């Protein structure tokens, strides 16, 4: 019954919109159970949306990544120009870019799951029989999903902790750190969705007799 | 079962996952998760630390920016001009095109900071020409793979940034210390290349023409300017490595956009050879449009999306290793070897063999905090040791079974992985010779840092 009481505590905490209460509600380990259910639902739902709205599938993560990348470069570039030409520098020009980098890296991590471009030693897998290859792909799915779950729960706790401590981005007056940190649990959800999408493709390839493994090319989809 | 047995079992288990083709990121992550359970640690540390690596590290930001620089100079046509210049200088020698390819890797590496970007760019540009020029395709692919190793030694360098970030060493000093060893690596590989090409009679010779050298040098001025900008900024302390990266990105975008505009206004034909082009035409490169910038950035973002999470999880792994006492065990082993040279060579052997089975970033993140203090303890200068360590890590890019550059070269040239291994051997011999020379001669790394 503990699980239900923890669940009701979490729901009421979310309803209260109070960061300290949410932080307390996220502490029990039953949060992993809720996280797993949430990821399973949101992962499959997002994979379904990706399938039916290809524009989102193709451009959502890419847009976030490119925007954060260019914003990071732009802020740093302007920071140098500002210092040399105008003898001035915005105090946040060195503190906001790392957060943008974090968003780009985490969303990039999710995007690379879909592209299957995360570094791996695939020589043995390529030489395996078809069923063994599928088993390896299933293993990848499970490992990504469980990792996404751990990332979701642990980073949600960090977000709640940051919000309850009113952590402000250095060099700003009122920009909260948790606004940026929230991108981590969102990226975890995207990772789960990408893993679901991949395994759906793998099952379909297994049934249709298409090759299960393809040569992944970094930047091949750009 | 005691903790030691459990950790061994976990390590064997994740090695098995690695052999099954599970991504390296997951392999490390599950090792961390398993060991956290063994040590009774909360997993919250993992999530918090992954975020901390990014949002507490302004220095680490130089990494994505230098990756982007590499893609920008490639797409703008600046990289092509640098390789044309290298060929004009070296084409009169037997194996000149292959040697030019290595020289172009060195020049490209002086603007970009990535080994795989160097291999991919130079390999895809010069491999078709080398095959047309009578070189064995396996040798050509191996040359691109080996040339890429200098990508992380000649400044700017991603891995120097990570090393400096971890070990709290001035990244500017590390960059400067990498210049001469990086140049020696290029020269060493060129020598090996020349010997192989002479033995096999590969390549066509072109006459050494002063006009060609001058014109191609003129054509590569944007590249030289970018190299000068990075080195000047870092060497004089005008800006930090991260700012240097930001400035170079800004410069490359502006240069690319302006070049596209000017080349259209001048109605330039990109297919014309250097002989047909005037000096005025050589001033501008092909460039790119504003609409192409997101596409170029996306490619860099994809690479960053692979490397940055890997760095973050490796930092957590390093913390767990410290808690397990690995630092003590490896430290005792290395220290027990004896004095200065014994410790140095034991550390080098550990780095070399780790580089064979692991990606260079985890090797650096895991081993540097263990080995560097021991080396410092026997009197090795920290900057000198950083160079020794990272030259060793860079050699790991072309050592099987896990040699990242071999995969990249295989991908861009279409030569199967196992077929190009044989031709990496001469380059490995050259690189290891340079590595030993650099380790025995601290002056090579520290010559440009007289205050140390």
């Amino acid at each position: 019954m503990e699980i239900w009481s923890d669940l009701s505590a979490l729901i009421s905490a979310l309803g209260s919109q109070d960061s300290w209460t949410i932080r307390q509600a996220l502490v029990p380990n039953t949060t992993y159970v809720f996280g797993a259910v949430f990821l399973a639902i949101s992962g499959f739902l997002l994979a379904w949306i990706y399938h039916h709205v290809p524009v989102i599938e193709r451009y959502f993560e890419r847009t976030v990544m490119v925007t954060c990348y260019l914003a990071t470069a732009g802020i740093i570039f302007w920071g140098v120009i500002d210092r040399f030409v105008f003898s001035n520098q915005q105090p946040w020009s060195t503190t906001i870019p790392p957060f943008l980098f974090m968003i780009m890296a985490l969303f990039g991590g999710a995007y690379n799951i879909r592209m299957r471009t995360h570094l791996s030693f695939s020589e043995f897998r390529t030489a395996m029989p078809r069923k063994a290859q599928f088993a390896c792909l299933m293993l990848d799915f499970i490992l990504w999903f469980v990792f996404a779950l751990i990332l979701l729960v642990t980073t949600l706790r960090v977000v709640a902790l940051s919000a309850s401590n009113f952590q402000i981005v250095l060099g700003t007056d009122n920009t909260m750190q948790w606004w940026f940190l929230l991108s981590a649990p969102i990226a975890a959800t995207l990772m789960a969705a990408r893993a679901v999408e991949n395994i759906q493709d793998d099952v379909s390839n297994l049934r249709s007799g298409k090759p299960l493994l393809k040569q992944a090319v970094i930047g091949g989809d750009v | 079962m005691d903790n030691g047995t459990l950790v061994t079992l976990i390590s064997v288990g994740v090695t098995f996952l690695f052999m099954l083709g599970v991504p390296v990121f997951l392999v490390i992550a599950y090792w961390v998760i398993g060991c956290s359970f063994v040590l009774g640690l909360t997993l919250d540390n993992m999530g918090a630390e992954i975020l901390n690596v990014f949002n507490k590290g302004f220095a680490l930001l130089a990494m994505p920016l230098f990756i982007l620089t590499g893609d920008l100079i490639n797409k703008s046509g600046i990289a092509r001009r640098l390789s044309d210049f290298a060929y004009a200088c070296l084409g009169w020698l037997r194996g000149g095109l292959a040697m030019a390819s290595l020289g172009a890797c060195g020049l490209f590496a002086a603007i970009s900071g990535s080994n795989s970007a160097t291999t991919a760019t130079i390999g895809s540009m010069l491999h078709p020409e080398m095959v047309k020029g009578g070189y064995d395709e396996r040798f050509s692919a191996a040359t691109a793979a080996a040339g890429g190793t200098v990508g992380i030694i000649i400044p700017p360098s991603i891995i120097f940034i990570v090393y400096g970030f971890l070990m709290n060493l001035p990244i500017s000093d590390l960059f400067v210390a990498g210049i001469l060893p990086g140049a020696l690596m290029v020269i060493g590989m060129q020598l090996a290349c020349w010997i192989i090409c002479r033995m096999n009679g590969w390549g066509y010779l072109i006459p050494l023409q002063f006009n060609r050298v001058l014109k191609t040098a003129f054509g590569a001025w944007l590249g030289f300017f970018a190299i000068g900008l990075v080195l000047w900024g870092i060497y004089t302390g005008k800006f930090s490595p991260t700012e240097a990266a930001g400035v170079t990105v800004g410069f490359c975008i502006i240069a690319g956009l302006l070049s596209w505009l000017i080349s259209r206004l001048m109605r330039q034909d990109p297919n014309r050879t250097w002989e047909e082009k005037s000096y005025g035409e050589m001033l501008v490169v092909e460039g790119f449009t504003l609409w192409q910038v997101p596409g170029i950035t996306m490619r860099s973002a994809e690479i960053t999306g692979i490397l940055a999470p890997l760095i973050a999880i490796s930092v957590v792994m390093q913390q767990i290793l410290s808690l397990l006492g690995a630092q003590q065990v490896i430290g005792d082993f290395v220290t027990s070897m004896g004095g200065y040279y014994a410790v140095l060579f034991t550390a080098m052997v550990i780095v070399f063999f780790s580089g064979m089975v692991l990606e260079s970033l985890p090797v650096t993140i895991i081993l540097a905090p263990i080995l560097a203090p021991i080396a410092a303890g026997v009197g090795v200068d920290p900057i000198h040791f950083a160079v020794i360590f990272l030259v060793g890590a860079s050699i790991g890019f072309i050592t099987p079974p896990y040699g990242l550059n071999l995969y990249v070269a295989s991908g861009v040239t279409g030569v199967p992985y196992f077929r190009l291994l044989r031709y990496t051997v001469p380059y490995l011999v050259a690189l290891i010779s340079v590595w030993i020379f650099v380790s025995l001669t601290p002056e090579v790394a520290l010559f440009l840092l007289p205050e140390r």
Side-chain angles (χ1 to χ4, degrees), chain A residues 69 83 112 119 125 143 157 222, chain B residues 20 24 30 44 64 243 295:
Chain A
Y69 214 138
R83 192 168 73 228
N112 280 305
L119 300 175
R125 184 181 285 198
L143 293 176
R157 287 172 176 167
V222 176
Chain B
L20 284 179
V24 179
Y30 278 91
D44 289 346
E243 288 177 330

Side-chain angles (χ1 to χ4, degrees), chain A residues 1-221:
Chain A
M1 285 303 104
E2 191 188 353
I3 192 165
W4 298 113
S5 66
D6 285 344
L7 177 62
S8 62
L10 183 59
I11 291 171
S12 69
L14 289 170
S16 73
Q17 295 189 7
D18 175 59
S19 53
W20 194 85
T21 317
I22 294 172
R23 179 183 150 192
Q24 293 302 314
L26 285 170
V27 168
N29 276 335
T30 40
T31 310
Y32 280 100
V33 180
F34 311 138
V37 175
F38 170 78
L39 268 194
I41 295 169
S42 59
F44 277 93
L45 186 67
L46 265 175
W48 183 84
I49 293 171
Y50 284 155
H51 183 71
H52 288 88
V53 192
V55 175
I56 297 178
E57 204 268 345
R58 188 165 165 74
Y59 290 109
F60 175 57
E61 284 144 343
R62 292 162 61 113
T63 307
V64 173
M65 287 156 74
V66 169
T67 308
C68 289
Y69 214 138
L70 291 175
T72 303
I75 292 170
I76 294 171
F77 179 63
W78 181 250
V80 176
I81 302 290
D82 207 14
R83 192 168 73 228
F84 279 96
V85 180
F86 303 104
S87 303
N88 179 40
Q89 188 162 5
Q90 297 301 325
W92 47 263
S93 67
T94 56
T95 54
I96 295 270
F99 283 104
L100 296 175
F101 174 37
M102 179 190 72
I103 297 171
M104 178 187 57
L106 292 172
F107 275 58
Y111 182 77
N112 280 305
I113 293 175
R114 179 61 179 151
M115 295 289 111
R116 302 183 200 251
T117 38
H118 279 283
L119 300 175
S120 62
F121 178 73
S122 55
E123 298 303 310
F124 293 135
R125 184 181 285 198
T126 317
M128 284 179 187
R130 199 171 160 76
K131 281 188 180 166
Q133 284 182 347
F134 182 74
C136 287
L137 292 169
M138 187 58 94
L139 178 68
D140 281 358
F141 165 69
I142 295 166
L143 293 176
W144 275 123
F145 193 87
V146 174
F147 175 77
L149 171 64
I150 294 168
L151 189 68
L152 174 83
V153 173
T154 55
T155 54
L156 264 178
R157 287 172 176 167
V158 176
V159 172
L161 180 69
S162 174
S164 64
N165 285 331
F166 304 101
Q167 287 183 321
I168 290 173
V169 178
L170 295 176
T172 65
D173 293 329
N174 49 14
T175 305
M176 306 302 288
Q177 284 194 17
W178 73 267
W179 298 349
F180 294 95
L181 296 176
L182 195 60
S183 63
I186 294 173
T189 313
L190 294 177
M191 284 180 186
R194 290 308 198 178
V196 169
E197 232 188 331
N198 279 355
I199 200 67
Q200 285 174 341
D201 282 356
D202 297 333
V203 171
S204 154
N205 288 339
L206 183 74
R207 286 180 181 156
S208 64
K210 286 184 191 163
L212 287 171
L213 302 180
K214 288 175 194 150
Q215 176 75 39
V217 181
I218 298 168
D221 194 45

